[in-house]
Amino acid sequence: MIPVAEFKQFTEQQPAFKVLKPWWDVLAEYLTVAMLMIGVFGCTLQVTQDKIICLPSHEPRENLSEAPCQQLLPRGVSEPMGDLRELSGLKNNLDLQQYSFINQLCYETALHWYAKYFPYLVVIHTLIFMVCTSFWFKFPGTSSKIEHFISILGKCFDSPWTTRALSEVSGENHKGPAATTAGRATVTLTTTAGEGEKEKVLPEPEKVVTEPPAVTLLDKKEGEQAKALFEKVKKFRVHVEEGDILYTMYIRQTVLKVCKFLAILVYNLVYVGKISFLVACRVETSEVTGYASFCCNHTKAHLFSKLAFCYISFVCVYGITCLYTLYWLFHRPLKEYSFRSVREETGMGDIPDVKNDFAFMLHLIDQYDSLYSKRFAVFLSEVSESRLKQLNLNHEWTAEKLRQKLQRNARGRLELALCMLPGLPDTVFELSEVEALRLEAIGDITFPPGLSQLVHLQELSLLHSPARLPFSSQIFLRDRLKVIRIKCEELREVPLWVFGLRGLEELHLEGLFPPELARAATLESLRELKQLKVLSLRSNAGKVPASVTDVAGHLQRLSLHNDGARLLALNSLKKLAVLRELELVACGLERIPHAVFSLGALQELDLRDNHLRSIEEILSFQHCRKLLTLRLWHNQIAYVPEHVRKLRGLEQLYLSHNKLETLPTQLGMCSSLRLLDVSHNGLHSLPAELGLLQNLQHLALSYNALEFLPDELFFCRKLRTLLLGYNLLSQLAPQVGALRALSRLELKGNRLEALPEELGNCGGLKKSGLLVEDTLYDGLPAEVRDRMEAE
């Protein structure tokens, strides 16, 4: 006997592949097994038993025109069988070896090839059918995709996250009108999908959707596994949707099976009649046996004919399944797959439709069990993925861990800063004591209703963290939020809800205008910001945005940082009647803008990092009677005009990092000056008139080329900070001891050989406030050092 297991290698597949075998492939597989059994059974009989038995014919040669055995064929039921009885008992005078010779010779020459090889043909054809059915599971170009898909599909089906996601949807559906009485709760889960789905869904693992979500809580490990599945599904989808090799291969093997079926059916119907019980045999063996005509009996002809008709019947059924498969392949587009029903059932409206091989495999999965597609669709939904990320975040960032990150910011508010997270943990909203929330590099933030728990929140920073705010949360923040900072790539990414925060006092925006919009510099209307006092804009604007005038009646501080882009139009600044502080930083300015001189309430002006060479317009600042601070640092100013004397009310003047070589004597007439910073210039000397600045408390002269100091400088008795580092000073006048209020003195980087002992008279100067080389400090008298080191 030939065991059927020997043929297993032709059809052996991984058990998991069964999900890609629709009912017709399963039926065809059973049919091939039946046909294989017929072939194996026939081959076994043919190998183990005699094939043909022959007897010589005693007809005279002149009567041999009629085929031998013809008279033995039945001619009717009523015909007498006397002739058979007359031939019985004849002696042929042949021995056993002659009979064996005749049997073998007639088997090879007289028996029809179909009757001779029928069992082998059945086995060969069946093996070809088997190969055609499973070829796409073995072909390298398709088997890898199938194995990968089956692996992902099984993990998605068994993932606890799938159960949880569908449970949440089920819980939401039960709250709606779909929920009925408790006795019918289980049935109502599937009534919308039709009666056919009831019987399929309820017995399968999908029945867990009737359980409350608390039963399917995920631990951290399961959450990480589900996260990895989302990434695998994304990459697999991109890879498989590129081509249609699976679809094409399945069509080709189906067409091949149909052609094979037609060929087998035709030639079997033609030749099945050749399997006969009696076979006439004429061979020239008279010299050996004395006979040339023989009548032979094919011993298994009757059984083979029955097996042939059974085989043809199975082939017909097999062919019908192949034809149906072709119909299924071409009667609708299998290279497109829609999850519309799943979207309607689960409520995940963002599940995308798929195409090509991905779609084809899902169509095959539906023929096995549509529940697989439904559970697999969970991992195609971005909404589902965001929920999973949220769950993982909540596991990782507990309320206790977040509370440890709370710190006081520069404004004294209790701040929670989160950076580079995949999302915003829900546990953040359990910290009701938070006053400032800083989110940096966190993508796709959607503030939940739990935001209303942050009752003390006053400051919000969104740095490269786009955020969506539901209407209910907008109402909550509208009057509570005082400070908001937005940093993004382009200003058009700023959320619109920001401009509806009526209680906002400070708005800080950082981002670029698109090149085509930079000159217009259009910003959203600020009309709703009735309490706005501070506006900071860091961009590449070509002019001051027109919407700034919307808050002209109450804006007190305006900061424009242009990152070197030239700011051309500044006329709208004239309308800011109550503006107190103005910063025009890195705006490419070459002269002080005339619009600034119209700001009667201006107290501070900062023109840092521009291209100012001349400040002759400084005379016009006399119209800004409230101006207290003027910052002209980090420019290219070569001189200060004499009419600086007009700025009698100026208290702070910053001229560091310029190209000054001298200072005008008229600077001494700025009697209110308390701070003067001219460090990082090229000054060689100082005017003696600086001694007139009796209110001067801070004087920065570091990084210049000063060789000496005028004695009159030490008349500034209120001086507390004197920075003289990195000059060319060779000595320090003893008059320094007159500066009783001095608490900080920098002398490093000079050419000093010794320090005057009069430093001991500076009662406020301690060792920590004296910045000088150690050798010079050690040269001071011991009592002076002791006094400085005393607390």
Side-chain angles (χ1 to χ4, degrees), residues 96-129:
L96 184 59
Q97 291 183 350
Q98 289 175 320
Y99 276 117
S100 297
F101 173 76
I102 294 302
N103 291 343
Q104 292 294 331
L105 188 60
C106 288
Y107 179 82
E108 295 296 334
T109 59
L111 191 63
H112 194 271
W113 64 268
Y114 182 80
K116 192 185 333 182
Y117 300 115
F118 166 73
Y120 305 109
L121 293 174
V122 172
V123 172
I124 293 173
H125 295 327
T126 304
L127 292 179
I128 293 175
F129 280 139

Side-chain angles (χ1 to χ4, degrees), residues 145 239-246 335 355-358:
K145 292 183 179 180
H239 175 63
V240 175
E241 281 191 325
E242 293 177 351
D244 58 352
I245 184 173
L246 294 175
K335 294 172 68 174
K355 59 182 181 179
N356 288 338
D357 282 343
F358 203 177

